[in-house]
Amino acid sequence: MKIALINGSPKQSHSTSGTLLADLLHSITGITDVSDSDKPEIAEYSFNQTSVSENELAELQNADAFVFAYPLYVDGIPGHLLSCLTQLEAADWQNRKIHVYAIVNCGFYEGIQAEPALHILQNWCVKAGLLWSGGIGVGGGGAIQQLPTTENGHGPKAPVSKAICAMADAVCAGRIQENRYVSIAFPRFLYKMAAQMGWRMTIKANGGTTKDLGKQHL
């Protein structure tokens, strides 16, 4: 089985999407109920530009499953990733039974905010002739990289880790799952306070003041 992990973040490194895919990769490689000969072959791709190379297109046509990870942008998919999807849609797919999964992270505390972005990819699968197989909407994405590393199922990241483990099982089994929406196990008001503190630190680091946060462009 060939699995393509596709990072749709515009960041070249240190993205939340990359962190979540790394967690998924760890879960997939940790599945022990398959023989060595049945271990999945995993390839990683970074779609941080507006196009996909011909070599990548050729490799993706041999995959059995795609797992996209990307951030929520204005209730949808980042523009550069949409451009890549348009290119993929026009490709001559040899394997129309490719399963497509997705992990969407958002800065909102509630994972359900990612629902429209998952539905967009689901509709794309219908147009491209691929098999939508379920996704995860992750709330509290702004804190994912700052959370401490703990054993799966424990700590503030526990709900996210459990959802990713369930997806790993579905991907390896070629199974369709329902969309799941999770948030970090961290109080909402503390998450909001941390976000506000981060904005203030960022604007000061860039030569502004906290009063600039209230400016409006008419």
Side-chain angles (χ1 to χ4, degrees), residues 33-145:
D33 58 350
V34 294
S35 64
D36 288 340
S37 60
D38 292 328
K39 291 276 186 188
E41 179 183 333
I42 301 172
E44 299 181 69
Y45 300 89
S46 179
F47 284 11
N48 57 17
Q49 302 295 324
T50 57
S51 63
V52 182
S53 72
E54 292 300 321
N55 286 340
E56 287 174 327
L57 276 174
E59 291 176 7
L60 288 169
Q61 287 187 346
N62 294 317
D64 298 296
F66 298 161
V67 183
F68 288 91
Y70 51 92
L72 180 71
Y73 271 34
V74 198
D75 291 335
I77 293 177
H80 73 280
L81 180 57
L82 281 174
S83 179
C84 291
L85 291 176
T86 300
Q87 184 182 354
L88 291 177
E89 180 186 316
D92 182 19
W93 294 103
Q94 299 172 359
N95 180 0
R96 290 287 177 173
K97 294 183 179 180
I98 296 174
H99 288 259
V100 178
Y101 304 84
I103 305 171
V104 179
N105 73 86
C106 62
F108 295 105
Y109 182 79
E110 301 82 8
I112 191 66
Q113 296 283 354
E115 184 177 32
L118 287 176
H119 285 173
I120 289 171
L121 192 64
Q122 182 175 358
N123 290 336
W124 173 79
C125 286
V126 174
K127 187 73 178 294
L130 304 177
L131 184 60
W132 173 248
S133 301
I136 305 171
V138 179
I144 293 293
Q145 294 190 78

Side-chain angles (χ1 to χ4, degrees), residues 2-20:
K2 297 181 179 180
I3 302 170
L5 304 183
I6 303 171
N7 186 341
S9 171
K11 294 182 179 179
Q12 294 188 3
S13 61
H14 306 298
S15 68
T16 298
S17 299
T19 297
L20 294 170

